[in-house]
Amino acid sequence: MDRRDLLKNSLAGLAGLSATARMAAAQTVPLMDRPFNIAPIRAHVDRITDIKSCIRPFRTKGPRLDVEQIGNAMVVHNYGHSGAGWSLSWGSADMQVQKAMSRSPKKIAVIGCGIIGLTTALMAQRAGAQVTIYTKELFQRTRSVRANGSWTPASHMALASDAPSDLGDTWERMTRISWKNLRPYIGMAGNPVAFADHYYLSDTPFDAPVAPPPPSPVPVPEYYELGNRLGDITPKMQTLSAELHPFPVPYARRTTRLFFNFSEYGHLLISDFYAAGGKMVMRNFHSPGELAHLPEKVIINCPGYAAHDWWQDKAMVPHRGQTEWLIPQPEVNYGLTYRNVEALSKSDGVMMIDIGARGGMPKGYGMSNEVPDRAEAERAVRVMEELFSRFPSHRI
Ligand SMILES: Cc1cc2nc3c(=O)[nH]c(=O)nc-3n(C[C@H](O)[C@H](O)[C@H](O)COP(=O)(O)OP(=O)(O)OC[C@H]3O[C@@H](n4cnc5c(N)ncnc54)[C@H](O)[C@@H]3O)c2cc1C
Protein backbone atom coordinates (compact mmCIF):
# COMPACT_ATOMS: atom_id res chain seq x y z
CA MET A 1 0.00 0.00 0.00
CA ASP A 2 1.52 3.38 -0.97
CA ARG A 3 1.22 6.62 0.98
CA ARG A 4 -1.73 7.85 -1.08
CA ASP A 5 -3.66 4.64 -0.34
CA LEU A 6 -2.86 4.96 3.34
CA LEU A 7 -4.21 8.48 3.41
CA LYS A 8 -7.30 7.47 1.42
CA ASN A 9 -8.00 4.59 3.80
CA SER A 10 -7.52 6.69 6.85
CA LEU A 11 -9.84 9.38 5.52
CA ALA A 12 -12.40 6.73 4.58
CA GLY A 13 -12.11 5.39 8.12
CA LEU A 14 -12.71 8.81 9.57
CA ALA A 15 -15.69 9.40 7.23
CA GLY A 16 -17.37 6.28 8.61
CA LEU A 17 -17.48 7.73 12.12
CA SER A 18 -20.19 9.86 13.68
CA ALA A 19 -19.52 13.60 13.76
CA THR A 20 -18.84 13.50 17.51
CA ALA A 21 -16.50 10.53 17.22
CA ARG A 22 -14.70 12.25 14.32
CA MET A 23 -14.18 15.36 16.40
CA ALA A 24 -12.98 13.38 19.42
CA ALA A 25 -10.67 11.32 17.21
CA ALA A 26 -9.22 14.40 15.58
CA GLN A 27 -8.58 15.94 18.98
CA THR A 28 -6.88 12.94 20.54
CA VAL A 29 -5.00 11.18 17.74
CA PRO A 30 -3.54 13.11 14.83
CA LEU A 31 -3.76 11.43 11.44
CA MET A 32 -0.04 10.62 11.44
CA ASP A 33 -0.47 8.57 14.61
CA ARG A 34 -3.35 6.39 13.46
CA PRO A 35 -2.55 2.67 13.27
CA PHE A 36 -2.52 1.41 9.68
CA ASN A 37 -2.06 -2.02 8.24
CA ILE A 38 -2.11 -4.21 11.34
CA ALA A 39 -1.22 -7.76 10.30
CA PRO A 40 -2.74 -10.36 12.65
CA ILE A 41 -0.56 -12.64 14.75
CA ARG A 42 -1.07 -16.30 13.78
CA ALA A 43 -1.40 -17.46 17.37
CA HIS A 44 -1.81 -21.25 17.40
CA VAL A 45 -0.12 -23.72 19.71
CA ASP A 46 1.18 -25.78 16.77
CA ARG A 47 3.28 -22.76 15.75
CA ILE A 48 5.28 -22.83 19.02
CA THR A 49 8.90 -23.54 18.04
CA ASP A 50 10.57 -23.01 21.40
CA ILE A 51 9.85 -22.47 25.10
CA LYS A 52 12.55 -20.79 27.20
CA SER A 53 12.45 -20.63 30.96
CA CYS A 54 14.88 -18.54 32.97
CA ILE A 55 15.63 -16.79 36.27
CA ARG A 56 15.89 -13.01 36.39
CA PRO A 57 18.90 -11.88 38.47
CA PHE A 58 16.77 -9.94 40.98
CA ARG A 59 18.76 -8.43 43.84
CA THR A 60 16.86 -6.98 46.77
CA LYS A 61 19.47 -4.19 47.12
CA GLY A 62 19.58 -3.36 43.41
CA PRO A 63 22.48 -4.19 41.06
CA ARG A 64 25.79 -4.92 42.79
CA LEU A 65 28.29 -2.28 41.65
CA ASP A 66 30.86 -2.14 44.45
CA VAL A 67 34.56 -2.93 44.26
CA GLU A 68 36.23 -5.68 46.25
CA GLN A 69 39.85 -6.79 46.70
CA ILE A 70 40.48 -10.54 46.34
CA GLY A 71 44.16 -11.25 47.00
CA ASN A 72 45.99 -8.84 44.73
CA ALA A 73 43.10 -8.61 42.26
CA MET A 74 40.63 -5.73 42.12
CA VAL A 75 37.14 -7.12 41.48
CA VAL A 76 34.51 -4.69 40.18
CA HIS A 77 31.06 -6.21 40.48
CA ASN A 78 28.44 -5.80 37.78
CA TYR A 79 25.47 -8.10 38.36
CA GLY A 80 21.90 -8.21 39.67
CA HIS A 81 20.07 -6.23 36.96
CA SER A 82 16.83 -8.13 37.50
CA GLY A 83 14.33 -7.79 34.62
CA ALA A 84 16.31 -4.94 33.05
CA GLY A 85 19.73 -6.32 32.09
CA TRP A 86 19.26 -5.82 28.35
CA SER A 87 18.10 -2.27 28.93
CA LEU A 88 20.72 -1.20 31.49
CA SER A 89 23.76 -3.04 30.15
CA TRP A 90 25.65 -0.20 28.44
CA GLY A 91 25.15 2.26 31.28
CA SER A 92 26.16 -0.26 33.91
CA ALA A 93 29.17 -1.27 31.79
CA ASP A 94 30.27 2.34 31.39
CA MET A 95 30.08 3.03 35.14
CA GLN A 96 31.95 -0.14 36.10
CA VAL A 97 34.63 0.18 33.42
CA GLN A 98 35.40 3.67 34.72
CA LYS A 99 36.03 2.15 38.16
CA ALA A 100 38.22 -0.57 36.63
CA MET A 101 40.21 1.95 34.57
CA SER A 102 41.03 3.95 37.71
CA ARG A 103 44.02 1.57 38.04
CA SER A 104 45.00 2.16 34.39
CA PRO A 105 45.28 -1.57 33.65
CA LYS A 106 46.53 -2.74 30.25
CA LYS A 107 44.53 -5.94 30.60
CA ILE A 108 41.08 -6.54 32.04
CA ALA A 109 39.30 -9.83 32.71
CA VAL A 110 35.52 -9.95 32.41
CA ILE A 111 33.70 -12.87 34.03
CA GLY A 112 30.58 -13.88 32.13
CA CYS A 113 29.35 -13.57 28.58
CA GLY A 114 25.70 -12.65 29.04
CA ILE A 115 24.50 -9.24 27.87
CA ILE A 116 26.14 -7.57 30.89
CA GLY A 117 29.52 -9.29 30.39
CA LEU A 118 29.57 -8.68 26.62
CA THR A 119 28.76 -4.97 26.80
CA THR A 120 31.23 -4.57 29.69
CA ALA A 121 33.96 -6.23 27.64
CA LEU A 122 33.25 -3.94 24.68
CA MET A 123 33.19 -0.85 26.88
CA ALA A 124 36.55 -1.87 28.40
CA GLN A 125 38.00 -2.27 24.88
CA ARG A 126 36.68 1.16 23.95
CA ALA A 127 38.51 2.49 27.03
CA GLY A 128 41.74 1.02 25.63
CA ALA A 129 42.13 -2.24 27.57
CA GLN A 130 42.96 -5.69 26.21
CA VAL A 131 40.07 -7.85 27.33
CA THR A 132 39.66 -11.56 28.02
CA ILE A 133 36.22 -12.92 28.84
CA TYR A 134 36.20 -15.96 31.14
CA THR A 135 32.91 -17.79 31.05
CA LYS A 136 31.36 -21.16 31.57
CA GLU A 137 28.84 -20.60 28.75
CA LEU A 138 29.01 -18.71 25.48
CA PHE A 139 26.45 -15.98 24.82
CA GLN A 140 24.00 -18.23 22.94
CA ARG A 141 23.63 -20.45 26.03
CA THR A 142 23.38 -17.77 28.68
CA ARG A 143 20.23 -16.83 30.55
CA SER A 144 20.27 -13.52 28.69
CA VAL A 145 18.93 -15.06 25.48
CA ARG A 146 15.96 -16.53 27.35
CA ALA A 147 14.56 -13.08 28.14
CA ASN A 148 11.83 -11.04 26.52
CA GLY A 149 14.29 -8.39 25.35
CA SER A 150 12.35 -5.13 25.39
CA TRP A 151 13.40 -1.73 26.73
CA THR A 152 12.26 -2.23 30.34
CA PRO A 153 14.90 -0.39 32.40
CA ALA A 154 12.69 -0.08 35.49
CA SER A 155 11.68 -3.72 35.75
CA HIS A 156 11.81 -4.78 39.44
CA MET A 157 15.04 -3.00 40.38
CA ALA A 158 15.11 -3.62 44.15
CA LEU A 159 12.99 -3.95 47.28
CA ALA A 160 11.88 -0.66 48.81
CA SER A 161 13.16 -1.88 52.19
CA ASP A 162 16.67 -2.86 50.97
CA ALA A 163 17.54 -0.34 48.24
CA PRO A 164 20.37 2.12 48.89
CA SER A 165 19.20 5.72 49.10
CA ASP A 166 21.03 6.72 45.89
CA LEU A 167 19.64 3.86 43.76
CA GLY A 168 17.25 6.17 41.86
CA ASP A 169 20.09 8.49 40.77
CA THR A 170 22.41 5.61 39.89
CA TRP A 171 19.65 3.92 37.92
CA GLU A 172 18.79 7.08 36.02
CA ARG A 173 22.43 7.65 35.04
CA MET A 174 22.77 4.02 33.96
CA THR A 175 19.57 4.19 31.94
CA ARG A 176 20.46 7.41 30.12
CA ILE A 177 23.95 6.15 29.21
CA SER A 178 22.39 2.93 27.90
CA TRP A 179 19.84 4.78 25.82
CA LYS A 180 22.59 6.84 24.18
CA ASN A 181 24.78 3.81 23.52
CA LEU A 182 21.95 1.87 21.91
CA ARG A 183 21.29 4.59 19.33
CA PRO A 184 24.11 3.56 16.96
CA TYR A 185 22.66 0.03 16.68
CA ILE A 186 19.30 1.28 15.41
CA GLY A 187 18.89 0.97 11.65
CA MET A 188 21.82 -1.42 11.21
CA ALA A 189 21.45 -4.39 8.87
CA GLY A 190 19.34 -7.09 10.50
CA ASN A 191 17.83 -4.61 12.98
CA PRO A 192 19.79 -5.68 16.09
CA VAL A 193 17.94 -2.98 18.05
CA ALA A 194 14.67 -1.58 16.75
CA PHE A 195 11.54 0.34 17.66
CA ALA A 196 8.00 -1.07 17.45
CA ASP A 197 4.59 0.19 18.43
CA HIS A 198 3.20 -1.59 21.47
CA TYR A 199 -0.55 -1.78 22.12
CA TYR A 200 -2.16 -2.32 25.52
CA LEU A 201 -5.62 -3.82 24.98
CA SER A 202 -8.40 -4.26 27.48
CA ASP A 203 -12.03 -5.34 27.72
CA THR A 204 -12.60 -2.92 30.60
CA PRO A 205 -11.52 0.71 31.14
CA PHE A 206 -7.87 0.95 32.15
CA ASP A 207 -8.80 2.83 35.29
CA ALA A 208 -11.52 0.35 36.36
CA PRO A 209 -10.88 -1.00 39.88
CA VAL A 210 -9.24 -4.44 39.84
CA ALA A 211 -10.37 -7.23 42.15
CA PRO A 212 -8.05 -7.56 45.17
CA PRO A 213 -5.56 -10.43 44.76
CA PRO A 214 -6.05 -13.58 46.86
CA PRO A 215 -4.22 -13.42 50.22
CA SER A 216 -0.57 -14.50 49.94
CA PRO A 217 0.99 -16.94 52.46
CA VAL A 218 4.32 -15.04 52.20
CA PRO A 219 4.90 -11.26 52.22
CA VAL A 220 4.32 -9.65 48.83
CA PRO A 221 7.48 -7.75 47.78
CA GLU A 222 7.23 -4.00 47.74
CA TYR A 223 9.48 -2.74 44.97
CA TYR A 224 11.63 0.37 45.11
CA GLU A 225 9.81 3.25 43.43
CA LEU A 226 11.90 4.84 40.67
CA GLY A 227 9.39 7.55 39.76
CA ASN A 228 8.99 9.12 36.36
CA ARG A 229 12.54 10.18 35.53
CA LEU A 230 12.74 9.45 31.79
CA GLY A 231 9.83 11.46 30.40
CA ASP A 232 12.13 13.40 28.09
CA ILE A 233 13.58 10.40 26.24
CA THR A 234 10.77 7.85 25.97
CA PRO A 235 7.55 8.13 23.92
CA LYS A 236 4.33 8.83 25.82
CA MET A 237 1.31 6.53 25.99
CA GLN A 238 -1.59 7.47 23.64
CA THR A 239 -5.19 6.45 24.18
CA LEU A 240 -6.88 5.16 21.01
CA SER A 241 -10.66 5.26 20.93
CA ALA A 242 -12.44 2.13 19.67
CA GLU A 243 -13.11 3.82 16.31
CA LEU A 244 -9.44 4.47 15.73
CA HIS A 245 -7.78 1.12 16.36
CA PRO A 246 -8.41 -2.17 14.57
CA PHE A 247 -8.46 -4.52 17.57
CA PRO A 248 -11.70 -6.27 18.66
CA VAL A 249 -11.64 -4.72 22.16
CA PRO A 250 -13.14 -1.46 23.39
CA TYR A 251 -10.05 -0.05 25.10
CA ALA A 252 -6.60 0.45 23.65
CA ARG A 253 -3.49 2.42 24.39
CA ARG A 254 -0.28 2.59 22.46
CA THR A 255 3.29 3.59 22.93
CA THR A 256 6.47 2.91 20.95
CA ARG A 257 9.12 0.69 22.55
CA LEU A 258 12.68 -0.26 21.81
CA PHE A 259 13.47 -3.97 21.62
CA PHE A 260 16.40 -6.29 20.96
CA ASN A 261 16.69 -8.97 18.27
CA PHE A 262 18.94 -11.36 20.20
CA SER A 263 20.58 -13.22 17.31
CA GLU A 264 21.58 -10.17 15.29
CA TYR A 265 22.54 -8.03 18.28
CA GLY A 266 24.50 -10.83 19.98
CA HIS A 267 26.30 -11.70 16.75
CA LEU A 268 27.24 -8.09 16.22
CA LEU A 269 28.55 -7.59 19.76
CA ILE A 270 30.61 -10.79 19.65
CA SER A 271 32.05 -9.92 16.22
CA ASP A 272 32.97 -6.44 17.47
CA PHE A 273 34.61 -7.98 20.54
CA TYR A 274 36.81 -10.30 18.44
CA ALA A 275 37.53 -7.59 15.88
CA ALA A 276 38.97 -5.44 18.67
CA GLY A 277 41.32 -8.27 19.69
CA GLY A 278 39.17 -9.75 22.49
CA LYS A 279 39.80 -13.29 23.74
CA MET A 280 37.28 -15.76 25.13
CA VAL A 281 38.28 -18.49 27.60
CA MET A 282 35.88 -21.23 28.72
CA ARG A 283 36.20 -21.53 32.50
CA ASN A 284 33.90 -22.49 35.36
CA PHE A 285 34.83 -20.79 38.65
CA HIS A 286 33.80 -22.40 41.92
CA SER A 287 34.94 -19.86 44.51
CA PRO A 288 35.78 -16.13 44.45
CA GLY A 289 39.36 -16.93 45.57
CA GLU A 290 40.07 -18.47 42.15
CA LEU A 291 39.95 -14.99 40.61
CA ALA A 292 43.16 -14.03 42.40
CA HIS A 293 45.02 -16.56 40.19
CA LEU A 294 44.02 -14.98 36.88
CA PRO A 295 46.83 -13.16 35.02
CA GLU A 296 44.66 -10.00 34.87
CA LYS A 297 44.64 -8.07 38.14
CA VAL A 298 41.59 -5.98 37.30
CA ILE A 299 38.46 -8.08 36.92
CA ILE A 300 34.87 -7.11 36.20
CA ASN A 301 32.51 -9.71 37.57
CA CYS A 302 29.30 -10.27 35.54
CA PRO A 303 27.90 -13.70 36.53
CA GLY A 304 24.20 -12.73 36.63
CA TYR A 305 22.01 -14.87 38.88
CA ALA A 306 24.92 -17.34 39.40
CA ALA A 307 26.25 -14.90 42.04
CA HIS A 308 23.61 -16.36 44.37
CA ASP A 309 25.69 -19.54 44.75
CA TRP A 310 29.11 -18.59 43.49
CA TRP A 311 29.43 -15.44 45.63
CA GLN A 312 26.93 -16.58 48.27
CA ASP A 313 25.07 -13.34 47.63
CA LYS A 314 21.89 -13.88 49.59
CA ALA A 315 20.40 -10.61 48.31
CA MET A 316 19.89 -12.46 45.01
CA VAL A 317 16.32 -13.78 44.83
CA PRO A 318 15.29 -16.00 41.92
CA HIS A 319 12.47 -14.63 39.80
CA ARG A 320 11.37 -17.15 37.20
CA GLY A 321 10.01 -16.15 33.83
CA GLN A 322 9.16 -17.98 30.64
CA THR A 323 8.92 -16.96 27.00
CA GLU A 324 7.36 -18.94 24.19
CA TRP A 325 8.40 -18.44 20.57
CA LEU A 326 6.20 -18.88 17.52
CA ILE A 327 7.25 -19.05 13.85
CA PRO A 328 8.49 -15.60 12.76
CA GLN A 329 6.04 -13.26 11.06
CA PRO A 330 8.02 -10.43 9.47
CA GLU A 331 4.75 -8.83 8.33
CA VAL A 332 3.81 -8.20 12.00
CA ASN A 333 5.62 -5.06 13.10
CA TYR A 334 4.18 -4.43 16.56
CA GLY A 335 3.77 -5.84 20.06
CA LEU A 336 0.74 -6.00 22.31
CA THR A 337 -0.35 -6.80 25.84
CA TYR A 338 -3.75 -8.35 26.50
CA ARG A 339 -5.06 -10.21 29.56
CA ASN A 340 -1.57 -10.28 31.15
CA VAL A 341 0.03 -11.83 28.07
CA GLU A 342 2.56 -9.87 26.07
CA ALA A 343 3.37 -10.63 22.42
CA LEU A 344 6.20 -9.11 20.39
CA SER A 345 7.17 -9.84 16.81
CA LYS A 346 10.94 -10.26 16.51
CA SER A 347 13.21 -11.40 13.71
CA ASP A 348 13.60 -14.92 15.11
CA GLY A 349 10.00 -15.45 16.20
CA VAL A 350 6.85 -14.04 17.71
CA MET A 351 7.66 -13.97 21.41
CA MET A 352 4.91 -14.38 24.03
CA ILE A 353 5.16 -14.14 27.79
CA ASP A 354 2.61 -14.39 30.60
CA ILE A 355 3.54 -11.42 32.78
CA GLY A 356 1.02 -12.27 35.51
CA ALA A 357 -1.68 -10.12 37.05
CA ARG A 358 -0.90 -6.81 38.72
CA GLY A 359 -1.01 -6.72 42.53
CA GLY A 360 -0.31 -9.70 44.75
CA MET A 361 2.76 -11.91 44.41
CA PRO A 362 4.62 -11.18 41.12
CA LYS A 363 4.54 -14.21 38.82
CA GLY A 364 7.58 -16.45 39.39
CA TYR A 365 8.98 -14.45 42.34
CA GLY A 366 11.11 -16.70 44.58
CA MET A 367 10.98 -19.54 42.04
CA SER A 368 14.22 -21.02 40.70
CA ASN A 369 12.73 -23.75 38.50
CA GLU A 370 14.00 -23.35 34.94
CA VAL A 371 12.14 -26.26 33.39
CA PRO A 372 9.98 -25.06 30.47
CA ASP A 373 6.27 -25.41 31.21
CA ARG A 374 4.37 -26.37 28.04
CA ALA A 375 0.95 -25.82 29.64
CA GLU A 376 1.89 -22.23 30.57
CA ALA A 377 3.11 -21.64 27.01
CA GLU A 378 -0.12 -22.94 25.49
CA ARG A 379 -2.24 -20.85 27.87
CA ALA A 380 -0.43 -17.69 26.74
CA VAL A 381 -0.80 -18.54 23.05
CA ARG A 382 -4.52 -19.30 23.50
CA VAL A 383 -5.13 -15.85 24.98
CA MET A 384 -3.79 -14.36 21.73
CA GLU A 385 -5.55 -16.96 19.58
CA GLU A 386 -8.89 -16.03 21.13
CA LEU A 387 -8.20 -12.32 20.62
CA PHE A 388 -7.29 -12.70 16.95
CA SER A 389 -10.14 -15.11 16.24
CA ARG A 390 -12.48 -12.21 17.14
CA PHE A 391 -10.85 -9.98 14.54
CA PRO A 392 -13.47 -9.13 11.89
CA SER A 393 -11.61 -9.42 8.59
CA HIS A 394 -12.79 -6.03 7.31
CA ARG A 395 -11.02 -4.28 10.24
CA ILE A 396 -7.57 -5.62 9.26
C1 LIG B 1 11.61 -14.06 31.35
C2 LIG B 1 12.57 -12.91 31.37
C3 LIG B 1 12.27 -11.76 30.66
C4 LIG B 1 13.16 -10.68 30.67
N1 LIG B 1 12.87 -9.59 29.92
C5 LIG B 1 13.72 -8.56 29.87
C6 LIG B 1 13.43 -7.43 29.06
O1 LIG B 1 12.41 -7.38 28.38
N2 LIG B 1 14.30 -6.40 29.07
C7 LIG B 1 15.44 -6.41 29.81
O2 LIG B 1 16.17 -5.42 29.78
N3 LIG B 1 15.75 -7.48 30.57
C8 LIG B 1 14.93 -8.55 30.63
N4 LIG B 1 15.20 -9.63 31.41
C9 LIG B 1 16.36 -9.58 32.29
C10 LIG B 1 17.66 -9.89 31.57
O3 LIG B 1 17.51 -11.04 30.80
C11 LIG B 1 18.77 -10.07 32.61
O4 LIG B 1 18.83 -8.97 33.48
C12 LIG B 1 20.10 -10.23 31.90
O5 LIG B 1 20.04 -11.23 30.92
C13 LIG B 1 21.21 -10.56 32.88
O6 LIG B 1 22.38 -10.69 32.13
P1 LIG B 1 23.72 -11.13 32.79
O7 LIG B 1 24.76 -11.00 31.74
O8 LIG B 1 23.92 -10.43 34.08
O9 LIG B 1 23.49 -12.67 33.20
P2 LIG B 1 23.55 -14.02 32.36
O10 LIG B 1 22.92 -13.90 31.05
O11 LIG B 1 23.05 -15.07 33.29
O12 LIG B 1 25.10 -14.26 32.11
C14 LIG B 1 25.96 -14.67 33.14
C15 LIG B 1 27.28 -15.12 32.55
O13 LIG B 1 28.16 -15.48 33.61
C16 LIG B 1 28.67 -16.77 33.38
N5 LIG B 1 28.93 -17.41 34.66
C17 LIG B 1 28.07 -17.53 35.69
N6 LIG B 1 28.65 -18.21 36.70
C18 LIG B 1 29.91 -18.49 36.30
C19 LIG B 1 30.99 -19.18 36.88
N7 LIG B 1 30.88 -19.73 38.09
N8 LIG B 1 32.14 -19.33 36.17
C20 LIG B 1 32.26 -18.80 34.93
N9 LIG B 1 31.26 -18.14 34.32
C21 LIG B 1 30.10 -17.99 34.99
C22 LIG B 1 27.58 -17.47 32.58
O14 LIG B 1 28.11 -18.59 31.88
C23 LIG B 1 27.15 -16.35 31.66
O15 LIG B 1 28.04 -16.26 30.58
C24 LIG B 1 14.35 -10.74 31.43
C25 LIG B 1 14.65 -11.90 32.13
C26 LIG B 1 13.77 -12.98 32.10
C27 LIG B 1 14.12 -14.22 32.84
Side-chain angles (χ1 to χ4, degrees), residues 88-358:
L88 298 175
S89 59
W90 285 108
S92 200
D94 184 59
M95 287 162 50
Q96 299 314 85
V97 166
Q98 282 188 32
K99 290 175 192 168
M101 292 309 286
S102 66
R103 291 228 179 140
S104 310
K106 278 210 173 85
K107 296 181 175 185
I108 285 185
V110 170
I111 312 300
C113 191
I115 191 59
I116 299 292
L118 256 186
T119 48
T120 300
L122 283 159
M123 211 42 126
Q125 288 178 324
R126 290 176 192 177
Q130 291 168 33
V131 181
T132 301
I133 294 178
Y134 296 87
T135 183
K136 71 173 178 189
E137 291 138 338
L138 296 179
F139 178 72
Q140 291 81 356
R141 303 195 75 145
T142 61
R143 290 194 165 106
S144 288
V145 297
R146 291 185 247 151
N148 164 339
S150 299
W151 171 257
T152 56
S155 177
H156 303 146
M157 263 301 97
L159 289 187
S161 54
D162 295 18
S165 56
D166 60 351
L167 178 62
D169 292 343
T170 309
W171 172 83
E172 182 179 344
R173 199 171 134 219
M174 208 185 262
T175 309
R176 286 180 183 276
I177 298 171
S178 279
W179 185 256
K180 259 221 162 345
N181 278 275
L182 286 167
R183 284 274 299 109
Y185 294 98
I186 295 166
M188 291 187 84
N191 289 323
V193 180
F195 279 104
D197 282 346
H198 193 93
Y199 296 88
Y200 293 85
L201 307 179
S202 179
D203 303 309
T204 51
F206 288 104
D207 53 4
V210 280
S216 164
V218 286
V220 173
E222 196 191 317
Y223 291 110
Y224 179 78
E225 190 50 64
L226 287 157
N228 179 20
R229 291 166 170 257
L230 303 175
D232 58 320
I233 57 169
T234 44
K236 307 264 173 307
M237 193 77 85
Q238 283 179 315
T239 298
L240 300 172
S241 61
E243 295 86 2
L244 286 183
H245 67 79
F247 296 99
V249 295
Y251 302 97
R253 285 173 172 172
R254 179 190 53 191
T255 186
T256 304
R257 289 193 349 192
L258 201 67
F259 71 98
F260 306 89
N261 281 315
F262 295 153
S263 310
E264 290 82 355
Y265 189 43
H267 183 72
L268 191 60
L269 299 185
I270 292 165
S271 307
D272 285 355
F273 174 68
Y274 282 127
K279 291 198 187 108
M280 193 89 74
V281 175
M282 300 303 288
R283 177 98 179 250
N284 187 4
F285 296 98
H286 299 285
S287 77
E290 290 174 41
L291 296 186
H293 303 296
L294 291 180
E296 297 83 2
K297 295 302 161 207
V298 174
I299 298 163
I300 311 184
N301 185 35
C302 315
Y305 179 73
H308 177 270
D309 298 320
W310 185 35
W311 285 83
Q312 296 291 304
D313 186 340
K314 296 307 171 208
M316 297 295 292
V317 175
H319 190 171
R320 182 189 188 279
Q322 176 172 301
T323 51
E324 19 285 347
W325 296 77
L326 279 65
I327 296 170
Q329 283 189 258
E331 74 280 16
V332 177
N333 59 359
Y334 61 90
L336 67 86
T337 304
Y338 178 61
R339 292 189 180 166
N340 304 322
V341 176
E342 198 172 299
L344 177 62
S345 179
K346 300 211 205 188
S347 58
D348 59 342
V350 178
M351 187 276 314
M352 293 187 189
I353 178 170
D354 181 342
I355 53 176
R358 285 191 179 278

